[in-house]
Amino acid sequence: MARDFFTMDDFDLSGRTVLLRVDINSPIDPGTGALLNDARIREHLTTIRELRHSKVALLAHQSRPGKDDFTTLEVHAERIGALLGRPVRYVSSLFGRPAIEAIEAMRPGDVVVLENTRFYSEEEALADAKLEKMAKTHIVQRLAPHADYFVLDAFAAAHRAQPSLVGFCEVLPSLAGRVMERELTMLGRAVQDPARPKIALLGGVKADDSIAVARHMLEQDLVDTVLTSGGVANLFLDAAGFDPGAATTDFMRREVSDYDAHRAMCKELLEKFRRRVLLPSDVVLNDRGEREAIPVSMLPAKLPIYDIGLDTIARYVEQIRRAKTIFFNGPAGVFELEPFSVGTRELLAAIAEADGFSIVGGGHTVAAVEQFGLQDRIDHVSTGGGALINFLAGKELPLVTALKRSYKKFGKTAK
Ligand code: 3PG
C-alpha cells in the first residue's frame, strides 16, 4: 500500500530541532500524583531513541480539565529520563519564554518536556476548528519558528483535532513517528480481514465516546455484537430500566458529559439493536472493599458497582471463544483494586486464549493487560483507546488527515 504521509525514514533529522507530539496520557494516583503505569511512555521510547542525534522538544497532554488526574508533565519527564538513562528536562511552560529558551539551549541528544498542552485554553477551545485556524494559535505560532520538523507520534489521540496535535502540520514538514506508523499498519490489516463474527467489548468510564462508537459499529455492521461492561454498562443498564442506584449514577454523572442525553442514546440503541447489545446480567458491588454480587434485577443498590459478575463473565467468554475478530476497549471494572479485577482479568485471559484475531487498546486497558502479564498473548496491544475504535469504525482520523496534508504541502522537502 502506497504511503501518503511522511515517516521518519523520509528526512535526515540529525542535529535538527524536532517538536515531538506524543500521547503519554497515563493513569496517575490523584492523591500522591504518582504515575501508576508507564506503558505509553515506554511505547514512545523507540521514537525518542531514534531521535538521539536531534534536539527534541516533547509535547503531550495529561487527562482533561476538571479531572483529578489533570496534572503537569513533571512525573512523565522524570520517568522518560529514568527509562532513557539520561536527564530529561521538564519546563513548566508550553510556549512562554522559559519554553523557548529551553528549546534554543538544547544540544543534539537533549530532550525537553514542555507543559501539559491542555493547561492552555486554545487547545480545548479551538478543538475541531479548521486546520488553518489551529495553525494560527499561539501554541503553533510561538513554537514552530524554533523547530525544523514536527514528528506526530500520538496515535492514541489521533481522533482529537487540537492545535498541538494537528496545527503544526500546516507550517512544518510533519512525519509519523514509529508508534503512529506501526499502529496504522497493524490496524489496517485487522480491518481488512473479512472473517466473522466480529465482536467489540466496550467498558471503562469514557462512556460517552464508547456509545458513539457502539452506534457507528452497529449501524455500519462493522461488528456483530457489542458486549458492555464497566461504566459503559452502567449507562446502558440505566437506559434499560435497571437504575444502578445513586452511588453509581452520581459517579457516572461526574464522568460523562450530558449523562441524560447519553442515556437516551443508549435507549435508542437498545431498541434498534436489542439482540446485538449485551448487558451484564449480574454486577458486583463494593461493600467496604469486599465483593458483593447481585443480579441486575436487584438494582438499584446503595453500594457502588465495581465489577461485572460471574454469570456475565461466563456469557461474554462464550462470545469471545466463537469470535474471529475481537476488539476490547475499556476495563470491565475497577481492576486496580484486586477484589474487583476479576471481570477484566477473566475477559482478557479469554481473549489471550481465543483463536480470533485480538486487538486490545486504551490507556487503562493496556495497564490491565500488563498487570495480568498478558501482553505477549494478544495479537495487537494498541496505545489507542478512542483513536483505536474510531479507526476500526472506518472513520478518518484528524491526525492522519493532517499528516497527509503536510505530505502534499512539503513533499519536495523530503530527502
Ligand atoms: C486517550 O487516552 O484516549 C487519549 O490520550 C485521548 O484522551 P482524551 O479522550 O481525553 O482526548
Side-chain angles (χ1 to χ4, degrees):
M1 198 175 67
R3 247 198 307 115
D4 49 5
F5 54 86
F6 293 125
T7 70
M8 289 167 66
D9 297 323
D10 295 315
F11 294 92
D12 179 5
L13 303 172
S14 314
R16 313 309 293 268
T17 302
V18 170
L19 296 178
L20 170 61
R21 180 57 162 104
V22 292
D23 189 332
I24 48 177
N25 190 11
S26 307
I28 296 235
D29 182 328
T32 63
L35 198 61
L36 296 174
N37 179 280
D38 61 6
R40 278 188 173 170
I41 294 178
R42 280 184 280 110
E43 283 296 322
H44 286 291
L45 287 183
T46 319
T47 305
I48 299 174
R49 286 202 177 109
E50 208 175 314
L51 290 169
R52 65 190 168 278
H53 302 301
S54 308
K55 301 175 231 176
V56 178
L58 197 136
L59 292 98
H61 68 274
Q62 168 64 39
S63 192
R64 301 178 185 178
K67 303 253 172 175
D68 52 13
D69 58 350
F70 185 53
T71 65
T72 73
L73 297 182
E74 196 165 2
V75 282
H76 306 69
E78 269 168 24
R79 186 62 58 92
I80 296 169
L83 291 166
L84 287 177
R86 55 191 159 97
V88 163
R89 188 172 163 199
Y90 155 75
V91 189
S92 61
S93 167
L94 178 60
F95 53 76
R97 191 179 292 169
I100 304 298
E101 283 174 2
I103 294 173
E104 288 298 330
M106 276 194 295
R107 301 160 68 97
D110 285 350
V111 179
V112 163
V113 174
L114 304 177
E115 192 49 282
N116 185 347
T117 57
R118 291 187 179 171
F119 280 11
Y120 302 83
S121 58
E122 286 177 331
E123 184 79 334
E124 297 274 317
L126 291 180
D128 301 320
K130 282 207 161 29
L131 282 181
E132 293 83 353
K133 199 158 186 181
M134 288 198 255
K136 290 207 174 96
T137 54
H138 288 84
I139 300 176
V140 175
Q141 291 293 316
R142 297 283 298 270
L143 288 177
H146 302 277
D148 302 298
Y149 296 99
F150 180 58
V151 172
L152 186 46
D153 213 20
F155 173 78
H159 56 315
R160 300 280 180 232
Q162 295 184 328
S164 78
L165 289 158
V166 294
F168 293 103
C169 298
E170 292 294 289
V171 294
L172 287 174
S174 303
L175 304 44
R178 294 304 183 203
V179 171
M180 178 73 87
E181 188 187 351
R182 196 185 59 242
E183 293 268 16
L184 294 175
T185 309
M186 284 299 283
L187 302 177
R189 273 182 212 158
V191 136
Q192 280 149 22
D193 186 348
R196 292 277 171 158
K198 285 191 177 187
I199 63 169
L201 292 103
L202 302 179
V205 288
K206 286 185 182 172
D208 29 12
D209 281 347
S210 300
I211 289 157
V213 165
R215 181 193 345 231
H216 186 80
M217 288 184 126
L218 289 164
E219 280 176 352
Q220 300 301 313
D221 205 24
L222 296 166
V223 292
D224 300 284
T225 315
V226 168
L227 291 74
T228 66
S229 67
V232 179
N234 293 342
L235 201 56
F236 270 100
L237 283 169
D238 198 0
F242 298 101
D243 172 9
T248 300
T249 44
D250 286 354
F251 169 76
M252 291 300 297
R253 281 183 187 278
R254 284 197 300 275
E255 294 295 321
V256 179
S257 57
D258 209 345
Y259 182 88
D260 295 324
H262 283 99
R263 185 178 46 194
M265 277 183 221
C266 292
K267 200 161 180 224
E268 211 182 290
L269 283 180
L270 287 171
E271 277 156 15
K272 208 163 159 195
F273 301 105
R274 182 88 244 175
R275 290 212 193 96
R276 294 173 60 197
V277 181
L278 303 191
L279 307 186
S281 39
D282 53 352
V283 290
V284 172
L285 309 173
N286 179 355
D287 185 0
R288 284 160 297 177
E290 302 281 326
R291 287 174 75 84
E292 188 195 326
I294 57 160
V296 293
S297 57
M298 278 177 68
L299 291 170
K302 279 213 178 74
L303 298 168
I305 299 176
Y306 265 49
D307 199 5
I308 51 173
L310 297 182
D311 185 59
T312 308
I313 295 173
R315 285 168 49 231
Y316 287 10
V317 166
E318 193 45 44
Q319 297 273 336
I320 291 169
R321 287 201 182 120
R322 289 193 294 121
K324 295 282 190 294
T325 306
I326 307 152
F327 306 123
F328 183 101
N329 180 254
V334 188
F335 71 91
E336 295 89 344
L337 302 175
E338 217 283 318
F340 308 104
S341 63
V342 179
T344 309
R345 193 179 55 232
E346 291 303 312
L347 296 183
L348 284 172
I351 291 172
E353 269 170 31
D355 294 335
F357 187 77
S358 51
I359 291 198
V360 165
H364 290 81
T365 309
V366 174
V369 168
E370 294 210 337
Q371 183 173 312
F372 307 135
L374 296 169
Q375 58 274 27
D376 298 332
R377 295 171 55 205
I378 285 167
D379 293 306
H380 181 59
V381 179
S382 172
T383 55
L388 161 75
I389 299 266
N390 276 273
F391 178 94
L392 295 172
K395 290 188 183 172
E396 176 84 21
L397 299 171
L399 269 59
V400 177
T401 310
L403 281 172
K404 288 180 183 171
R405 273 174 69 121
S406 204
Y407 181 81
K408 275 198 191 133
K409 198 161 178 174
F410 297 99
K412 291 201 185 79
T413 59
K415 71 185 176 193

